[in-house]
Amino acid sequence: MSREGRDKKNKSEASTRSHTQARSSSDIFKTILLVVIVGSLAWFYKAIQPPPTGTVGSTGGASVTSPRIKLRDGRQLAYKEFGFPRDEAKFKIIYIHGFDSCMLDSPFPQFLSQALVEELRIYTVSFDRPGYGESDPDPNRSPRSIALDIEELADGLGLGPNFYVVGLSMGGEITWTCLKYIPHRLAGAALLGPVINYWWRNLPRDITREALSLTSPADQWALRVAHHAPWLTYWWNTQKWFPFSNVIAGNKVIFSRQDMEVVSKLGGFSPNLAYIRQQGEYESIHRDLKVGFSRWEFDPLDLQDPFPNNNGSVHLWHGDEDRFVPVKLQRYIASKLPWIHYHELSGSGYLLPYVEGLTDKITKSLLVGEEEST
């Protein structure tokens, strides 16, 4: 072979080796990239999965210490009764607790005067909502399901054909579902600083945007995640990279001056926290966020007066210094539902029923129509 031929052969072999090495390097890089991507996805998938639920009464779970009602689907709801004996009471109230709370946080035992209880013969019952305290989780929880749970609780306790509901914060939001799904069972309802789903379809976008901007950035993002990416709710509120819900974190930024005074008198914001979350944070607070800020199948602004014959009433109470639910939204809702008795309290914040004397005022207004100046 000539020298020129040998040179061409050598160049060809060198070129082949170069291309082979390049392909080999490219293949190695792609393999490493694929491993990194798969590993990252596997890590992320694991990170967003909530831990197993420690159901009360199950092996390894907390013990049952309260009476419970068994529902049609086999779940159990824990409850606690207060006030006048059930069978002798004239007025029967079901209290619906708020977010990250429980039946033990009902204001009625401590803040409803005994004189009023005796005078009007008032019976109250509070219960742990699904996944909270000692009530079984409900993996199918929805705005409708909790209203039906309340109806079953009333039937299980023999409260009669009609009863009152009083809901605080997210319990107030749930009260809207009672007005939608079981209005025929209600004698009256009171919503105390009710949480508002910023994505209810009839709320004007300019108003919801403005109202949401009044809350802290951490709470804005927590609510956006719960609505737009509910599958990320658990991870978002447990990760350490970004600020998450101030309510979950227990940050005092959500409290007004009056709220801070109330917390000081109560000896803390959430004295029953261990009990509240004993079945796991996911089934209690995180599922609560997902349901409360999901795409509801109805809008409260479409509701009709459940008491057109004036045989009952609906009251909405809100403090103008509430830092968690901007009062602007409540004013708009009250303006669109003229059958709502709207009470706006100057200088009040989030913890309305724990203010001295206010539980009596709320209760009298609901039960007998007595309304003092606010």
Side-chain angles (χ1 to χ4, degrees):
M1 181 182 294
S2 66
R3 181 177 179 180
E4 182 179 352
R6 287 196 300 271
D7 288 344
K8 287 182 178 180
K9 182 179 179 182
N10 290 338
K11 287 180 180 180
S12 176
E13 291 175 349
S15 176
T16 300
R17 286 195 300 272
S18 176
H19 285 302
T20 301
Q21 290 171 355
R23 284 198 301 270
S24 178
S25 297
S26 176
D27 290 343
I28 292 173
F29 175 76
K30 290 178 180 178
T31 300
I32 292 174
L33 182 60
L34 180 61
V35 169
V36 170
I37 291 174
V38 171
S40 298
L41 289 175
W43 171 85
F44 185 66
Y45 177 79
K46 184 177 180 181
I48 66 176
Q49 299 305 306
T53 300
T55 306
V56 168
S58 65
T59 302
S63 300
V64 177
T65 63
S66 304
R68 303 201 297 177
I69 288 288
K70 188 172 184 179
L71 305 179
R72 294 188 189 95
D73 62 4
R75 289 181 296 113
Q76 302 266 0
L77 279 188
Y79 66 92
K80 194 170 184 63
E81 300 173 286
F82 311 98
F84 216 77
R86 186 200 315 163
D87 295 337
E88 302 172 25
K90 179 179 180 181
F91 297 104
K92 299 171 183 179
I93 299 173
I94 295 179
Y95 174 74
I96 311 169
H97 69 75
F99 180 78
D100 209 5
S101 186
C102 68
M103 66 181 181
L104 304 177
D105 296 320
S106 169
F108 287 109
Q110 183 176 350
F111 293 92
L112 184 63
S113 69
Q114 187 60 31
L116 188 61
V117 170
E118 296 292 337
E119 176 190 349
L120 299 181
R121 296 163 58 195
I122 302 170
Y123 159 91
T124 66
V125 58
S126 60
F127 68 101
D128 289 331
R129 295 197 280 109
Y132 281 101
E134 295 182 3
S135 286
D136 291 339
D138 181 2
N140 300 313
R141 197 193 320 178
S142 68
R144 181 175 182 270
S145 69
I146 186 61
L148 300 183
D149 284 355
I150 290 170
E151 182 177 34
E152 282 199 65
L153 174 67
D155 290 339
L157 293 175
L159 299 190
N162 300 105
F163 50 87
Y164 295 84
V165 290
V166 175
L168 171 65
S169 188
M170 193 162 276
E173 184 187 45
I174 289 169
T175 301
W176 288 117
T177 73
C178 294
L179 292 168
K180 167 65 176 178
Y181 295 112
I182 57 169
H184 56 289
R185 300 300 307 274
L186 302 182
L191 303 90
L192 314 181
V195 165
I196 291 176
N197 185 328
Y198 292 86
W199 293 273
W200 286 337
R201 64 177 178 273
N202 288 329
L203 290 175
R205 294 302 94 184
D206 58 331
I207 292 180
T208 56
R209 280 195 297 267
E210 180 184 349
L212 190 58
S213 72
L214 297 175
T215 64
S216 74
D219 290 321
Q220 292 178 39
W221 278 105
L223 299 185
R224 289 188 183 110
V225 168
H227 179 75
H228 295 292
W231 50 276
L232 271 181
T233 301
Y234 172 78
W235 175 81
W236 183 268
N237 290 294
T238 55
Q239 50 75 36
K240 307 299 181 184
W241 299 344
F242 313 107
F244 52 88
S245 167
N246 282 301
V247 181
I248 293 176
N251 293 336
K252 296 179 180 178
V253 67
I254 64 168
F255 295 139
S256 68
R257 175 191 55 79
Q258 186 186 77
D259 288 334
M260 290 302 298
E261 293 174 358
V262 170
V263 169
S264 177
K265 291 179 181 178
L266 293 175
F269 172 53
S270 190
N272 300 306
L273 189 61
Y275 173 85
I276 290 168
R277 302 183 184 183
Q278 66 181 350
Q279 298 188 80
E281 292 185 12
Y282 178 74
E283 286 297 345
S284 53
I285 57 178
H286 298 130
R287 192 181 289 279
D288 222 7
L289 280 176
K290 290 169 61 175
V291 174
F293 295 95
S294 64
R295 290 174 174 81
W296 282 31
E297 59 188 18
F298 79 97
D299 189 314
L301 288 170
D302 289 331
L303 293 177
Q304 301 298 313
D305 184 356
F307 306 110
N309 299 320
N310 294 318
N311 57 335
S313 59
V314 180
H315 298 255
L316 196 163
W317 298 75
H318 204 84
D320 66 354
E321 293 187 9
D322 190 321
R323 296 182 180 177
F324 187 63
V325 183
V327 69
K328 185 181 185 73
L329 287 173
Q330 304 293 15
R331 290 171 181 164
Y332 180 82
I333 289 174
S335 73
K336 295 299 180 180
L337 300 176
W339 45 270
I340 292 279
H341 297 263
Y342 180 59
H343 314 259
E344 186 172 307
L345 303 178
S346 177
S348 291
Y350 174 66
L351 301 173
L352 294 179
Y354 303 99
V355 176
E356 198 68 37
L358 193 50
T359 298
D360 274 19
K361 181 185 291 188
I362 290 169
T363 304
K364 290 174 69 175
S365 178
L366 175 64
L367 302 185
V368 296
E370 294 188 18
E371 185 175 332
E372 302 171 22
S373 61
T374 59

